[in-house]
Amino acid sequence: MIPNHHGSDFERWGQEVLAEEARALELASTRIGQSFSGAISTIIASKGKVIVTGLGKSGHVGRKVAATLSSTGTSAMFLHPSEALHGDFGAIQSDDCLIAIAYGGETHEVLEVARFARRNGVPIIALTGRPESSLAQLANHLIDASIIREADPLNLAPTSSSTVAMALGDALAVALMRARGFTPQDFASLHPGGSLGRRLSLVRDHMFSAASLPKVSVEADFHRVLECVTQDNVGIVAVVDQSDRLIGAISDGDLRRALLRLDAAALQCTAKELMSPMPKTISDRALAIDAVSLMNKYSISRLFVLSEDHSGRLSGLVRLQDLLAAKIL
């Protein structure tokens, strides 16, 4: 028979779990030291990939650790230890390194994977809660994931221990990101799908290329400028020098204002006299979301895109309407 409890009990129990796991994480943070640094250095020096292994709940943690490493610039894969024992040891190459996860450090299958790695000169990073365990003894670097107690009232279910293991995996991934100078652009290239991928896509993924854009020189006359501004309904033309460097821009609004100001005399103006010098620009390697922010900031609907090599050469044009259609926001 299920005991009769009140909503306040449920709230308190939930708070107690989070508090216990928070204490476990705080304790784990105090144990990060030279062995953690050694693990980072080993992974950076590795010419291969990071193999992550673990069984049961540690296996679930290992899959997440491998996925986080892969998505943040460190080539990684999860190897199920039981599958390894039945033919998948070939996934481990001599240039790789191994992260073996087992809280007790005595899981037979995980130990066998670690022994195989050791025989083949593959460095081992052990993530375990038992520093005296067999797994710890096999490792080149030990990351201490020990806890005082689990968060469940029986002190049996992997709760605090799995939280700490996963957080230590995150700590490894983030430290590696920072060590490698991993950028938002790098992150975008690894997350092309879904809403996150759209927000992290690059300007060059959405722009009209320079080859397809109308361009004029500073000497171009009014009629040539008008022809280019109305071409393909782009509504703007780039003014470039002989090296295709952007020096100004003329929009359909600029032409209307010139006609209102100068009347028939506007028809005798050159592009140099009609253009707005130093238009707002963005790099082709910038994030598309940054282009949206810049256009909103200056109340404009188009940005010329420059090559990332800082030469000032025109690379393309990006429009607000296209970014909104691509659901960048």
Side-chain angles (χ1 to χ4, degrees), residues 102-279:
Y103 185 80
E106 302 296 342
T107 305
H108 169 71
E109 295 88 345
V110 174
L111 288 175
E112 287 303 308
V113 174
R115 290 180 181 120
F116 176 87
R118 191 175 181 88
R119 287 196 301 271
N120 289 274
V122 173
I124 302 165
I125 300 163
L127 204 161
T128 178
R130 299 285 183 263
E132 71 287 353
S133 65
S134 300
L135 180 60
Q137 301 308 309
L138 287 168
N140 301 90
H141 305 288
L142 168 64
I143 297 179
D144 189 347
S146 58
I147 61 168
I148 295 175
R149 62 166 289 114
E150 298 288 3
D152 77 290
L154 302 178
N155 193 27
L156 294 174
T159 46
S160 297
S161 57
S162 57
T163 297
V164 167
M166 194 171 295
L168 287 169
D170 289 342
L172 284 170
V174 172
L176 287 163
M177 282 178 67
R178 299 180 72 167
R180 290 190 167 113
F182 195 76
T183 66
Q185 289 82 358
D186 295 324
F187 199 84
S189 69
L190 298 176
H191 297 76
S195 59
L196 178 61
R198 290 193 297 271
R199 287 178 61 85
L200 292 174
S201 61
L202 304 182
V203 166
R204 67 183 183 185
D205 298 327
H206 303 277
M207 71 181 188
F208 292 91
S209 69
S212 66
L213 290 178
K215 293 174 283 187
V216 298
S217 67
V218 290
E219 294 86 10
D221 61 25
F222 184 93
H223 291 87
R224 174 58 180 161
V225 170
L226 179 61
E227 179 184 28
C228 289
V229 166
T230 56
Q231 180 179 326
D232 298 326
N233 293 319
V234 174
I236 197 168
V237 61
V239 183
V240 297
D241 64 13
Q242 293 180 339
S243 299
D244 215 29
R245 289 190 294 263
L246 183 70
I247 56 178
I250 305 170
S251 68
D252 47 10
D254 290 328
L255 294 183
R256 288 194 299 272
R257 285 185 287 273
L259 287 169
L260 288 172
R261 187 176 70 253
L262 301 174
D263 199 9
L267 303 179
Q268 308 304 315
C269 290
T270 63
K272 184 176 181 179
E273 297 166 310
L274 294 166
M275 73 180 190
S276 299
M278 304 298 291

Side-chain angles (χ1 to χ4, degrees), residues 53 65 269 295:
T53 194
V65 171
C269 290
M295 283 188 267

